Amino acid sequence: MNKRLFTILAGIFAVLSFAACNDDDGIDPSSAEPTITYAYDALEADLNKVDNLPVVAVVKSEAGLQSVTLDILTADNERVPVKTVTEFFNRKSYSLSEKVNWEADYSEAVITAVDLLGRTVTESIPVSIIDVVAPPAIVFTPESWSYDETVGGEKARTHFVVTSASALKSIEMYRVTTEGQTQYGGTVTGGDTDPWTTYTFDEMIQYGETDKGFKVKATDIYDQVRIASMTVSYKTVPPPTVTFADAMIFADKDEKKAVNIDIESLAGVVQVELFRLEGKTETSVGTKTYDKLHTLNYAEEMVFTNATSGVKVIVTDNVGRTTTATTKAIVNMDYLESVEIGGIGYTSAKASRPDVYSLFSLKYMKTLPMLDVLDAAEVNGVADVDICYYNMSNVTHRIYSPDGEKAGEYKAPDGRTLKDLAAKPLTRFQVLTNVDFESATAASIANDVIASQLTLSRIDSKVGDVIAFKTGSKSSAGGNRIGLMKILSIYEETTESGGAKNTNLSTVTVSIKFPKE
C-alpha cells in the first residue's frame, strides 16, 4: 500500500475515534495553518472508462476548519467548482474523497482549506486526461475484390490494415459465402508491438463463385468494435463441353482406331488427356496441350483391346476447370443395346408390332419369323434361333432354349412347331450374380463365365437379371460360343381392369453382348 495513503487512512481512523473529545472551543492563535495531504502524487483519468479514481486527500487544522473546497483547473486556467464543505464532524480533520466528471481539458485538482482563524491554504495535484479514442480503423486494399474467368490474369491478394488509437484486444476474420459465414483462421490476440496498435493482413485467398465477401471485426481494450467488409465477386465460366462423335465405339480386337471428340470452352482448352478403360482400370494413352482454344476437334488414335470397356477423357481449361466424359466401347463383340423378343403369339408378324417375333437369332442379332427359321434349317442343317421367351400366366417369365419343353407351343402358320425344327440349337443358360453387364468385355466374359456351368435349357428371369448363355452345336451363329444378356423390361398385355389379357402377346426386352469367335 502507498505509504502516504496508509498514513492518511490511519489519520482518518484516529480522527473518527476521538472526534468528540478532540473538539475544543478555544482557538490558539499560534496554532499551525491547515495542511492538505493528497493520497497520490498525480491523477490519471481515462475518459474511455466508466470508473476513474476519485480525488482523495486529508485536510487537518489545529485551529479547526471553516471550509474545504475542491475545484478543477482547465488548461485555459479556468476554475470549475466541484465541492465545498462547511460542516464537519470533526473540524480538526477532514477526509475528502470525491469522484469527478472529468473533461478532456482538465489539468489540475485544487483543494482550498480555510481555518477558523481565516487562514487559507491551497494545494493542487496535476491531472492527466486520456481523451476519448475512436474505435479501430480497418482499411482494405483494394476496397473490393473481383475476378472474371473470361478475362483471366492474376488474382489480387486479400490485404487490409487495422490501426487503433488504443491498444487492440482482438481481431476476427470471416469468409462470407452464399451459405453464410465461417471464421477464417483463429482469433488474433496479439502483435509484435507493445502496446499492440496495428495489424496487417496479406494473404492469397482462393475465392470461388460462392464467395460474397470478407469481413473483419476489430476490438480494442475498451471493447469498442469496428466491423468492415470487402465485397468479393467471382465471375465463373462454365467448364468445357465435351461431345464424343460416337455414342459408342465399335472396334475389333487390338484395332488402332481414332477417338473423335468435339470440345468447346469459353475459357479456352489447355489440356486433353485420353484414357483407355478396362473394367475399373484406367490407363492414360496420351496427353495433349493447347493454347487456350475455344473450339477443338480432337482426334487421337488408341488401341482397343479385348478388355477395353470404354474411353475416358479429361479436358482442362485455362482457369483450371475440368470436364470428364466417357463413352462405351464394344470390342470384338456383337452388341444389341435393346431388342424385344415376343412370346408364343409372335411366331408370325403382328400388325401392332411388325418387327417383333418369337425366335431370336444370335447370327443375325434380331428376331425372325418362324416359317423362315424352319425352312432355313431344313436347307442348311443349322438353326437361326437361339433364344425364346415364354410368359407363364404373368407369374413367371422364362427364357427358353428352342429345344425346351414348350417347343410344341411355338406354332408356325402352317401348323409346324419348334419340335419340327430340323436342327436342335441346344442353347444353355445360367443366371450370374457377380457380373456387371455394362462394363463386361470380351475378355471379362471369357474369364468370368465358366462354360461347364451353363446347363439349363430354361431359366426364370426378372428385370435386372444378367444371364450367361452358350450356343449349341447346331446354332447358325456357331457352336459353344458364350455371351451375356440382361433383362431390361417385361411387357404384359392387360385388360382395362388390369388383369391378364393375353400372355401369348407378352414380350421381354433384353440387351446382348456376344463376343466374336
Side-chain angles (χ1 to χ4, degrees):
M1 180 181 291
N2 183 287
K3 185 175 181 181
R4 179 180 296 175
L5 179 59
F6 178 79
T7 302
I8 290 172
L9 293 176
I12 293 171
F13 178 77
V15 168
L16 293 176
S17 300
F18 300 101
C21 61
N22 288 342
D23 194 12
D24 190 353
D25 293 334
I27 302 175
D28 183 357
S30 64
S31 60
E33 293 183 340
T35 61
I36 302 170
T37 305
Y38 285 96
Y40 310 102
D41 294 328
L43 279 176
E44 181 180 83
D46 191 337
L47 301 187
N48 300 279
K49 294 180 178 180
V50 176
D51 293 325
N52 282 291
L53 289 174
V55 177
V56 178
V58 172
V59 183
K60 292 184 178 183
S61 172
E62 291 182 358
L65 291 169
Q66 179 180 192
S67 66
V68 174
T69 301
L70 171 63
D71 297 316
I72 300 296
L73 290 183
T74 68
D76 295 331
N77 210 32
E78 293 182 5
R79 185 175 294 269
V80 179
V82 176
K83 184 177 185 179
T84 298
V85 180
T86 58
E87 295 182 0
F88 302 93
F89 181 73
N90 176 15
R91 290 187 178 276
K92 299 294 181 70
S93 182
Y94 173 68
S95 177
L96 175 75
S97 178
E98 187 70 22
K99 284 191 173 183
V100 178
N101 293 323
W102 300 104
E103 298 292 341
D105 62 343
Y106 289 181
S107 62
E108 286 184 83
V110 179
I111 296 176
T112 302
V114 180
D115 66 11
L116 293 176
L117 294 175
R119 294 175 296 183
T120 300
V121 174
T122 299
E123 294 288 346
S124 64
I125 59 170
V127 178
S128 59
I129 303 294
I130 299 176
D131 202 354
V132 175
V133 297
I138 304 170
V139 177
F140 283 94
T141 307
E143 295 181 354
S144 61
W145 190 100
S146 63
Y147 188 79
D148 188 341
E149 288 184 347
T150 60
V151 177
E154 292 187 5
K155 298 175 182 177
R157 298 173 69 85
T158 298
H159 179 93
F160 67 85
V161 177
V162 179
T163 56
S164 179
S166 59
L168 288 165
K169 182 179 180 181
S170 64
I171 294 173
E172 300 168 56
M173 293 164 281
Y174 298 89
R175 193 165 174 171
V176 183
T177 70
T178 54
E179 298 177 354
Q181 68 177 32
T182 55
Q183 188 167 356
Y184 182 85
T187 301
V188 182
T189 57
D192 296 332
T193 59
D194 188 16
W196 176 38
T197 57
T198 62
Y199 176 75
T200 301
F201 178 90
D202 187 87
E203 285 188 17
M204 176 61 76
I205 298 177
Q206 298 299 330
Y207 296 111
E209 57 186 322
T210 63
D211 285 284
K212 297 301 176 185
F214 192 83
K215 184 169 75 174
V216 178
K217 175 183 177 182
T219 306
D220 66 15
I221 57 172
Y222 299 116
D223 290 325
Q224 296 186 108
V225 175
R226 176 78 72 186
I227 296 176
S229 297
M230 176 187 72
T231 59
V232 173
S233 174
Y234 194 103
K235 183 178 180 182
T236 62
V237 296
T241 59
V242 178
T243 306
F244 281 92
D246 300 305
M248 186 173 294
I249 300 175
F250 292 86
D252 291 327
K253 179 183 178 182
D254 297 329
E255 181 182 359
K256 193 172 186 179
K257 194 169 185 178
V259 177
N260 297 289
I261 307 172
D262 293 327
I263 302 171
E264 294 184 359
S265 171
L266 287 177
V269 177
V270 295
Q271 180 177 289
V272 178
E273 186 171 10
L274 190 67
F275 297 85
R276 179 171 50 246
L277 303 181
E278 296 177 338
K280 295 182 179 180
T281 302
E282 299 180 359
T283 303
S284 177
V285 296
T287 300
K288 285 187 174 181
T289 58
Y290 303 91
D291 186 18
K292 296 184 288 186
L293 296 182
H294 296 289
T295 59
L296 172 63
N297 296 319
Y298 175 86
E300 181 72 11
E301 287 191 336
M302 63 169 276
V303 175
F304 289 81
T305 69
N306 235 24
T308 302
S309 58
V311 178
K312 172 181 171 181
V313 66
I314 299 178
V315 180
T316 305
D317 66 15
N318 185 45
V319 295
R321 292 186 182 273
T322 62
T323 297
T324 300
T326 60
T327 191
K328 292 181 181 179
I330 301 297
V331 181
N332 196 32
M333 289 191 294
D334 292 319
Y335 174 73
L336 276 180
E337 186 174 12
S338 176
V339 61
E340 191 174 19
I341 304 173
I344 62 175
Y346 292 92
T347 55
S348 57
K350 295 291 181 186
S352 59
R353 297 189 183 185
D355 297 325
V356 177
Y357 295 98
S358 300
L359 310 183
F360 181 80
S361 170
L362 286 168
K363 177 181 179 179
Y364 297 105
M365 295 295 282
K366 66 178 183 177
T367 58
L368 299 173
M370 192 165 173
L371 279 177
D372 292 355
V373 173
L374 292 171
D375 292 342
E378 291 181 355
V379 174
N380 301 320
V382 293
D384 292 331
V385 57
D386 299 280
I387 298 169
C388 301
Y389 161 68
Y390 193 93
N391 181 349
M392 305 284 288
S393 302
N394 283 355
V395 175
T396 302
H397 299 270
R398 287 180 178 163
I399 300 298
Y400 272 100
S401 172
D403 64 303
E405 68 265 24
K406 297 294 183 180
E409 296 186 33
Y410 291 84
K411 295 181 180 181
D414 62 3
R416 287 182 295 170
T417 71
L418 278 180
K419 287 185 176 182
D420 298 312
L421 191 63
K424 306 298 181 185
L426 303 176
T427 312
R428 295 297 179 258
F429 304 99
Q430 180 191 19
V431 173
L432 303 178
T433 58
N434 59 348
V435 172
D436 179 21
F437 180 86
E438 280 67 30
S439 63
T441 63
S444 70
I445 292 172
N447 291 331
D448 297 339
V449 180
I450 301 173
S452 61
Q453 293 181 357
L454 278 61
T455 59
L456 301 176
S457 61
R458 74 176 192 191
I459 199 157
D460 293 348
S461 61
K462 62 182 183 297
V463 174
D465 280 350
V466 176
I467 300 171
F469 58 80
K470 177 179 66 174
T471 61
S473 60
K474 295 296 183 179
S475 171
S476 61
N480 295 312
R481 291 179 63 191
I482 293 174
L484 295 180
M485 63 187 297
K486 183 176 181 178
I487 309 297
L488 301 180
S489 64
I490 295 173
Y491 166 77
E492 297 175 348
E493 196 170 82
T494 60
T495 63
E496 292 182 0
S497 62
K501 184 176 182 181
N502 189 345
T503 59
N504 294 342
L505 297 179
S506 178
T507 62
V508 64
T509 302
V510 301
S511 182
I512 294 178
K513 287 184 174 180
F514 191 36
K516 297 178 181 179
E517 294 183 283

